[in-house]
Amino acid sequence: MYAEERRRQIASLTAVEGRVNVTELSEKFDVTAETIRRDLAVLDREGIVQRVHGGAVSSQSYLTTELPLDTRSRSATTAKTAIAQAALKYLPDEHGSVFLDSGTTINVLAGLLKEEPSASSLSFVTNSLPIAVDLSSSGNLNVQLLGGTVRTITQAVVGDTALRTLALLRADVAFIGTNALTVDHGLSTADAQEAAVKSAMVTNARRVVVLCDSSKLGSDYLVSFASLDSIDVVITDTEAPASFLEELTELGVDVVQAQ
């Protein structure tokens, strides 16, 4: 496991459970206590957690830092593949329509769609340049790329043109990625323009399926783009804290843990 991925999971555990212990984290991630202390020191400097004696407690700050697309693509790869595989069962019926946003787990899903026989009859709309290129390379999928301004760090198309187009469209299913998920703040991300596109997809889809690995649970980014009552399904991995998933279920969200 990359240090960055381990730190994201530590941040999520701290946010969900309120407090983490160095010894327990050392055992969970099979690393030394000193490695965990260094991880906590990094997270503390970034304002994600607050160091305390023997561990750390949750920080209340909203995150604004974005990692480049290639860096995010390399984190939680096993979990993302399992989540994307589980998402295939939520594809609409023949001749249905699908929104795909610019999340890295959605990118993994796009790779699977090229090999999915039922996908050939579907229509896909995306604001992700990599996803549009990947899907169109199959030669047999109907793909529409939204127009607008491209954000360099995420390769996502954003802006008024994209939003005006989405206002005219409807989809049977929206597959949505998120930087973070909490009960109070819902789904959130760092950039307001990307949040606006994600929100439009959520609003204009009959069913909303969120693909979210466990490292993102319990964290809050600056811009909330969807509340929990606007989503139908959350697909995560087996590392997700049981107490957090139970709370989502109680709030009416269908929770799936991908094996």
Side-chain angles (χ1 to χ4, degrees), residues 22-75:
V22 169
T23 301
E24 293 175 354
L25 292 175
S26 175
E27 294 174 354
K28 175 179 176 60
F29 293 103
D30 194 24
V31 296
T32 66
E34 185 57 35
T35 296
I36 295 297
R37 291 190 186 96
R38 286 197 296 268
D39 288 341
L40 295 179
V42 171
L43 293 171
D44 183 84
R45 286 196 300 271
E46 294 176 350
I48 298 172
V49 305
Q50 295 178 355
R51 289 287 304 277
V52 296
H53 181 68
V57 296
S58 178
S59 170
Q60 299 303 311
S61 61
Y62 291 104
L63 305 176
T64 58
T65 302
E66 283 187 282
L67 297 172
L69 183 64
D70 60 344
T71 301
R72 290 189 293 121
S73 297
R74 292 194 300 269
S75 69

Side-chain angles (χ1 to χ4, degrees), residues 30-205:
D30 194 24
V31 296
T32 66
E34 185 57 35
T35 296
I36 295 297
R37 291 190 186 96
R38 286 197 296 268
D39 288 341
L40 295 179
V42 171
L43 293 171
D44 183 84
R45 286 196 300 271
E46 294 176 350
I48 298 172
V49 305
Q50 295 178 355
R51 289 287 304 277
V52 296
H53 181 68
V57 296
S58 178
S59 170
Q60 299 303 311
S61 61
Y62 291 104
L63 305 176
T64 58
T65 302
E66 283 187 282
L67 297 172
L69 183 64
D70 60 344
T71 301
R72 290 189 293 121
S73 297
R74 292 194 300 269
S75 69
T77 54
T78 301
K80 288 176 179 177
T81 300
I83 291 168
Q85 188 69 51
L88 291 174
K89 69 173 288 187
Y90 293 97
L91 287 172
D93 294 334
E94 190 175 8
H95 304 304
S97 52
V98 178
F99 288 150
L100 300 169
D101 89 339
S102 58
T104 53
T105 310
I106 311 298
N107 208 331
V108 178
L109 173 61
L112 297 178
L113 289 172
K114 293 189 299 180
E115 308 299 327
E116 175 61 33
S118 64
S120 60
S121 73
L122 304 177
S123 296
F124 297 94
V125 177
T126 185
N127 71 319
S128 167
L129 284 179
I131 288 175
V133 170
D134 194 22
L135 289 180
S136 62
S137 69
S138 70
N140 67 339
L141 296 182
N142 181 3
V143 185
Q144 177 179 346
L145 174 64
L146 296 174
T149 303
V150 180
R151 294 193 69 228
T152 302
I153 193 170
T154 60
Q155 294 291 285
V157 178
V158 298
D160 289 343
T161 301
L163 292 175
R164 285 198 297 270
T165 303
L166 280 171
L168 302 174
L169 301 176
R170 297 294 182 272
D172 295 296
V173 179
F175 291 107
I176 303 294
T178 184
N179 292 81
L181 190 162
T182 63
V183 171
D184 294 333
H185 203 46
L187 310 182
S188 59
T189 190
D191 182 75
Q193 288 191 307
E194 282 206 40
V197 174
K198 289 174 180 285
S199 180
M201 288 184 174
V202 169
T203 298
N204 293 331

